[in-house]
Each structure stands twice: as structure tokens, then as C-alpha cells.
Amino acid sequence: MKIVIAIDGYSGTGKSSTAKQVASRLGYTYIDSGAMYRAVTYYFLSNNIPFKKIDDLKEMLGACDISFEGTSVVLNGKKIDAEIRTMEVNHNVSPVSAISEVRAKLVEQQRKMGDNKGVVMDGRDIGTVVFPDAELKVFMTADMDIRAERRRKELEKRGIIESLEVIKENLKERDHIDSTRKDSPLVMASDAIEVDTSGLTLTQQIDKIVSMAESIIYEN
Ligand code: DC
């Protein structure tokens, strides 16, 4: 049988890289829910929509169509993989994802993507809100210094040079906003398994989650 795997946790704990490989090893579909929040953020920023000042964003959101082509994120027909990973988006994505209208739209779309199971989705509220019945829920954590260094390297690979201090401040600020927002705050689901990735390599993280998944898949 096919299952749903929910991977939640703080920014920079390696959720996306891990989830992508876990999906590929199991022949499942990988869905990066954070990329969807980033796409909405990019949509607001690039169209100069003052999202902090508008009370009813429903109409604006109606014109914002987000989809995936493989693992690429597509906004209104245009691939925007690089555009959603800038520091400008990093600074605005947590306030945008605290907006309930944004969450309602994306959660509905995410649930549809999981209808046929066989998906690995990573984010902040996947095990608590999007798929509360997911067969496997993982909550990833890691030391702040390690998370910041991983994020610095990831930005550097894409030609963006940023100091560890600035990155750390951004991670802390996002952790704070993500965990204290009213709608779907980042919390570990009571039935999630915590995986601290501080001392693990990417391969070890992937192996660990694949073996948890396989034991559930073959048990059923
Ligand atoms: O996973 P990420 O760092 O790309 O996510 C970017 C932001 O999107 C994160 O700071 C909070 C928000 N997010 C969310 O609120 N809910 C999700 N399921 C995924 C991401």
C-alpha cells in the first residue's frame, strides 16, 4: 500500500533535501509546500501588492495560480525556482504565510495532491493540519549553528553571499513567526517522530526515514 509521509520542522534542518530523496527512493511524489508559500510571497512582491495592508486578499489570490512541473514551481505559467529563493523572499515569507486566506488556499490544494497517497510533503503544518492522518510523521530539528551554515552553503551555491549572522537572524525570526502565528503554528504533532539531524549526513537522514517508511509500508 501507498502511504503519506509528512515532514515538518524548522527552517534549515534539511527537510527539503531529505524529503526529495526519500520520495525518489520510494517512487513517491515530492511536494515542497514551503515553495508554495514562497511563490505567493514572490507574487505579492513582484506585483507590488501591499499584503500587510489589505484586509481581504481573496480576490488577489484568485489570480495567483501555483503548480508544479516535476519539482519546479510554476506561478501563472512561469517557472520561478530561483526567484523564490532570494533573501527578499526569505524576509517576507513568514509574514505572508501567517495570513489565513493564503493558508486556506494552499492547504486545500495540498490536500488534493495527497488524495491518491504516495506523497512526501515537507513544511510546517503537514502532520498537524494538512494530513493529520498521515501514516508517517517526522519532525526534523538541528542546532542553530548547523542550520545557519547549511543555509549559507545553499545560498552560496546559487551565487548569493550572505553572512552567517544575517542568516541566523533570519532563521530565528522565521522560527519565531512560524511558531507563534495564530493560524497553524509550527508545532510537533503528538504522533510525530523527532529526528535531530545535527550529527547526521544527508544520506543518514534519508536512510533513517526510508527505513521508517518501509517498515510501515510492508507492515500493512
Ligand atoms: O520550507 P521553507 O523554508 O521553504 O518555507 C518557507 C516559509 O513558508 C516558512 O518560513 C514558513 C512557511 N511555511 C508554512 O507556513 N507552512 C508550510 N507548510 C510550509 C512553509
Side-chain angles (χ1 to χ4, degrees):
M1 84 160 192
K2 287 197 168 179
I3 63 169
V4 170
I5 303 176
I7 302 187
D8 289 301
Y10 296 101
S11 307
T13 49
K15 293 186 307 288
S16 302
S17 333
T18 308
K20 198 182 285 177
Q21 294 296 323
V22 168
S24 142
R25 292 252 301 262
L26 296 170
Y28 280 20
T29 303
Y30 164 60
I31 301 157
D32 178 354
S33 71
M36 299 170 78
Y37 289 92
R38 287 172 178 274
V40 175
T41 306
Y42 173 73
Y43 168 78
F44 286 155
L45 294 172
S46 57
N47 289 292
N48 292 314
I49 296 170
F51 59 87
K52 285 180 187 155
K53 293 194 195 127
I54 300 178
D55 286 338
D56 186 0
L57 282 166
K58 261 200 188 125
E59 203 178 311
M60 306 271 169
L61 286 168
C64 170
D65 179 61
I66 297 165
S67 58
F68 287 93
E69 247 182 69
T71 53
S72 279
V73 196
V74 178
L75 171 67
N76 294 333
K78 185 176 170 259
K79 279 191 188 173
I80 50 160
D81 295 306
E83 288 86 341
I84 61 167
R85 308 268 168 211
T86 61
M87 281 309 274
E88 198 196 4
V89 171
N90 284 350
H91 282 297
N92 287 281
V93 67
S94 284
V96 168
S97 52
I99 301 170
S100 288
E101 285 115 320
V102 172
R103 304 205 71 81
K105 173 185 167 88
L106 297 186
V107 167
E108 189 189 348
Q109 197 178 344
Q110 289 155 2
R111 286 191 178 140
K112 280 192 193 134
M113 293 173 176
D115 268 355
N116 297 325
K117 302 210 175 206
V119 296
V120 182
M121 192 177 291
D122 78 312
R124 304 292 186 292
D125 62 339
I126 311 305
T128 49
V129 175
V130 181
F131 298 126
D133 298 328
E135 288 83 356
L136 175 60
K137 298 181 187 177
V138 175
F139 192 85
M140 287 175 58
T141 58
D143 290 345
M144 177 50 88
D145 286 343
I146 291 175
R147 291 164 54 196
E149 179 54 22
R150 284 179 185 161
R151 191 44 55 96
R152 192 192 65 73
K153 278 196 188 142
E154 186 201 304
L155 286 167
E156 194 182 60
K157 260 196 214 153
R158 289 184 290 108
I160 303 171
I161 306 298
E162 196 50 89
S163 75
L164 269 182
E165 275 322 299
V166 169
I167 293 172
K168 230 185 258 182
E169 278 318 303
N170 175 247
L171 289 178
K172 279 187 198 157
E173 192 192 338
R174 282 167 56 197
D175 284 357
H176 178 72
I177 302 175
D178 295 346
S179 328
T180 56
R181 67 180 176 222
K182 281 205 192 87
D183 190 344
S184 319
L186 168 64
V187 280
M188 183 168 133
S190 56
D191 51 352
I193 300 165
E194 185 172 343
V195 175
D196 183 342
T197 68
S198 309
L200 300 179
T201 63
L202 183 58
T203 312
Q204 287 170 329
Q205 285 165 213
I206 298 161
D207 287 347
K208 203 174 175 133
I209 299 174
V210 168
S211 78
M212 287 180 204
E214 282 175 342
S215 68
I216 298 170
I217 294 166
Y218 298 123
E219 211 173 77
N220 286 278

